[in-house]
Amino acid sequence: MSVAAPLSRAQARHTSAHRLSFAHLLRSETVKILSLRSTWWVLGIAVALSVGISLLFAAAVSGIGSSPNAVTVILLPLQFTMLVAGILGAIVVTGEYSTGMIRSTLTAEPRRGAVVLAKALVVSLVIAVTTAVGYAIAALVTAPLLSSGLDWSDPARSTIPLALGVVSMVAFTLLGLGFGFLIRAGAGAIAATVGVLFVLPIVLGLFAIAGEGWQWIADAGRYLPSNAATTLTAAGGAGDATVEAALSLAGWVVIPMVLGWVVLR
């Protein structure tokens, strides 16, 4: 017993001395995420969907006298790219568990909270930049097909909805990241993410035709992340609907992330 206590303190000092600084941890996570081919495939698919769907819709409505607002056209693919964002968040974590690299990560940085925060920051920045690039390209290629372009003089009809679209994509990614930490298995995390983002809105929407007694279930659907993001971007950052949608979206980010952090600890 007399030897065990000093040895434990020495090991603790050794571990503390070899912890990564947070800046080094961010660099490490950036290298890990961007060095994976799966990451670039997912990001490429996100941009392709964003630009492709916007371009197809703009071409379809180009013959109409009064075409939709350019922001509406650019944000239309959000219902599809959200799945790509969520899957990216999930595989960033579950990929490390499947290869065993998570052990090396936690050996280099034993502070679980720092690992979760670093991954969240890096993957948020990556998807935010990718989404912004996709929106910029979509704005350029659809402009010749629409009778009304982006009105940059009115932030409520241009920059604010687009910025909220970027925020929504970040939220979807962090939702997948939280499920990744919580479930730790690729198939399970992706299934949970797709279920929340895509399946649940359809299921709850079916109750709208089931009668007044079931209407409350259909009404609950507006608090789902995909519906909240749609409301948030459509409201343009104004009104009570924006506050409600923002709180709903934030809840879907915070709860899985906190639960994932608890499981990791």
Side-chain angles (χ1 to χ4, degrees), residues 18-158:
H18 287 78
R19 284 176 179 171
L20 293 174
S21 69
F22 193 68
H24 282 86
L25 183 59
L26 286 175
R27 278 200 297 271
S28 173
E29 291 300 331
T30 302
V31 170
K32 281 192 293 185
I33 291 174
L34 296 183
S35 62
L36 294 174
R37 281 179 295 178
S38 58
T39 299
W40 292 104
W41 273 105
V42 170
L43 296 179
I45 291 171
V47 174
L49 284 175
S50 181
V51 176
I53 295 175
S54 294
L55 183 59
L56 286 174
F57 185 72
V61 300
S62 60
I64 301 176
S66 178
S67 60
N69 183 273
V71 170
T72 302
V73 175
I74 295 171
L75 292 176
L76 182 67
L78 189 65
Q79 297 297 317
F80 302 94
T81 55
M82 66 177 182
L83 297 176
V84 181
I87 290 171
L88 173 64
I91 64 175
V92 161
V93 179
T94 58
E96 286 202 46
Y97 278 101
S98 64
T99 60
M101 186 178 289
I102 191 67
R103 297 187 184 92
S104 301
T105 299
L106 297 178
T107 299
E109 178 50 81
R111 296 171 297 179
R112 268 56 171 174
V115 172
V116 173
L117 180 59
K119 286 186 181 295
L121 289 176
V122 172
V123 78
S124 295
L125 180 60
V126 168
I127 198 66
V129 171
T130 302
T131 304
V133 170
Y135 287 169
I137 297 173
L140 289 175
V141 299
T142 59
L145 301 174
L146 300 175
S147 58
S148 58
L150 284 170
D151 184 8
W152 298 108
S153 63
D154 184 4
R157 293 172 59 85
S158 57

Side-chain angles (χ1 to χ4, degrees), residues 172-247:
F172 300 144
T173 307
L174 293 179
L175 173 67
L177 192 74
F179 279 131
F181 277 117
L182 187 59
I183 300 175
R184 302 185 178 187
I190 291 173
T193 303
V194 173
V196 170
L197 292 178
F198 187 74
V199 179
L200 269 182
I202 297 175
V203 173
L204 296 189
L206 293 176
F207 284 90
I209 60 174
E212 294 184 2
W214 299 95
Q215 185 62 37
W216 65 274
I217 298 181
D219 292 339
R222 70 175 183 267
Y223 298 107
L224 293 174
S226 56
N227 293 336
T230 300
T231 301
L232 191 64
T233 54
D240 295 337
T242 299
V243 176
E244 182 181 90
L247 290 176

